[in-house]
Amino acid sequence: MSSKLNRALWRTLSGGLAGVVLASILTACGGGGGGELAGVGTGGTGTVSSTVGVGPISGFGSVIISGVRYDDSAATVTDEDGNARTRADLKLGMVSVVNGSADFVAGTGVATGIRYGSEIVGPVGAVDVAAGRFTVLGATVRIKATTVFDDRLAGIGALRAGDRVEVYGFFNAADGAYTATRIEPVALTTRFKLRGPVEALDTANRRFTVAGVRLDYSSVPAAGVPALANGLIVRASSARLPSGGLWGVDSLGAAPRVALADVELKIEGDISVLTSPTSFVVDGVTVDASAARISGTPAVGRRVEVEGRGRAGILVATELEVADEDTPDAEEFEITALITDFDADTQRFRLRGQLIDASGPVSFESGSRSSLANGRRVELKGYFDAQAGAVIATKIHFEY
């Protein structure tokens, strides 16, 4: 984010040493790498409390969500259905909820649980490469320069009608489209799903709309139907595809990503509804930023990081930052891991399964390009490039 440097400086000047102590503890227990690229925040209050973080994953080593580095070495990982997963299942761009203890000022924490989930699973319909949009199950998906594509997909141009994909991201009520943070193929899926807010609820005919898709839930047992209301975020699924402008689903459940209890919360997402510059909705969460320190100008569709506390079902913000996602390198990813699958000719390799391209200009620290080799542990910064199908390395620090 364009304001991160100013924010870091403000925090450093206004804080004490406790954040540094916390960062040292987390690094010692595997929470992050050393050297300049570690990026552990300094300064701040040093307050460590029970917290919830929400947002797309932007790095590994420690898992990075909403700008906070969480030591995930002992975290329980699950998918949206509660199925047990592993840390290896976590990928860049997956929207996740992390429970644990964190110092949001220092930007460090320890995760006890991480749950990830997507918005849509289904076949691709129409594809408009020029507009950066395509449809899945009739819902519109918009990509940005920061959208991460699985390396089996070389950007939106690789999508074909009928391809089955899974889309992670956020729904924007203003234009009824999803902004994708990650897209990956799911060729073997036999069930399709859609997550989003209920609109045009018709309880008499047991129908409503999500993201422009008209749903019929008459096949869902009454006991399986949540207390529906317009605006409620639900997840609907079926083994059947929409037909004749209607999608008959057989599974339906309320699916808010977080319950706004009295807890410290940091959420990253797109503004879907804007009532005023200090009152808006992010991923179904109503935010009151009237008393927050604001950096940037909130607008519908803009990515924001909001920090505050849940009170009476509202996130009362203390910090608000607006992102700049208009350039391909606006989202910086960070990965600390061992190099695998290194190809000296192409200068490509993998870090924790993510394809990396180091063929361009790279700033090397504690080593050089000739130091790249399988088994070397590095800390990498870079940005995702859909055409290359990889994270483009901009800085590599060799740990040993």
Side-chain angles (χ1 to χ4, degrees), residues 48-68:
V48 182
S49 59
S50 177
T51 59
V52 177
V54 183
I57 296 173
S58 61
F60 294 108
S62 304
V63 66
I64 304 174
I65 296 174
S66 297
V68 179

Side-chain angles (χ1 to χ4, degrees), residues 307-391:
E307 182 181 322
R309 192 171 190 91
R311 291 196 183 102
I314 294 175
L315 173 55
V316 179
T318 55
E319 298 272 353
L320 168 62
E321 289 188 78
V322 182
D324 178 8
E325 294 186 294
D326 296 332
T327 59
D329 57 350
E331 175 72 78
E332 187 173 62
F333 296 109
E334 302 180 33
I335 307 176
T336 300
L338 298 176
I339 293 175
T340 62
D341 302 328
F342 176 65
D343 185 326
D345 293 331
T346 63
Q347 292 290 291
R348 287 189 164 206
F349 53 90
R350 292 185 184 274
L351 293 178
R352 195 162 167 167
Q354 174 63 51
L355 185 61
I356 307 295
D357 188 330
S359 60
V362 179
S363 173
F364 290 95
E365 297 179 353
S366 302
S368 63
R369 186 174 296 278
S370 63
S371 305
L372 292 172
N374 287 326
R376 293 299 303 268
R377 183 175 177 86
V378 298
E379 297 174 11
L380 174 140
K381 285 187 177 182
Y383 61 92
F384 186 80
D385 184 275
Q387 296 300 317
V391 169

Side-chain angles (χ1 to χ4, degrees), residues 3 7 34 72 83 93 194 228 234 249 257 270 298 334 355 377:
S3 60
R7 185 179 184 190
D72 62 337
N83 299 312
L194 184 65
L228 294 172
V234 298
V249 300
R257 238 182 278 274
D270 292 354
E334 302 180 33
L355 185 61
R377 183 175 177 86

Side-chain angles (χ1 to χ4, degrees), residues 29-47:
C29 68
E36 182 182 340
L37 292 182
V40 176
T42 60
T45 65
T47 301

Side-chain angles (χ1 to χ4, degrees), residues 26 29-31 61-63 70-76 87 110-111 114 352:
L26 291 176
C29 68
S62 304
V63 66
Y70 293 91
D71 173 11
D72 62 337
S73 58
T76 299
R87 296 163 67 202
V110 177
I114 301 173
R352 195 162 167 167

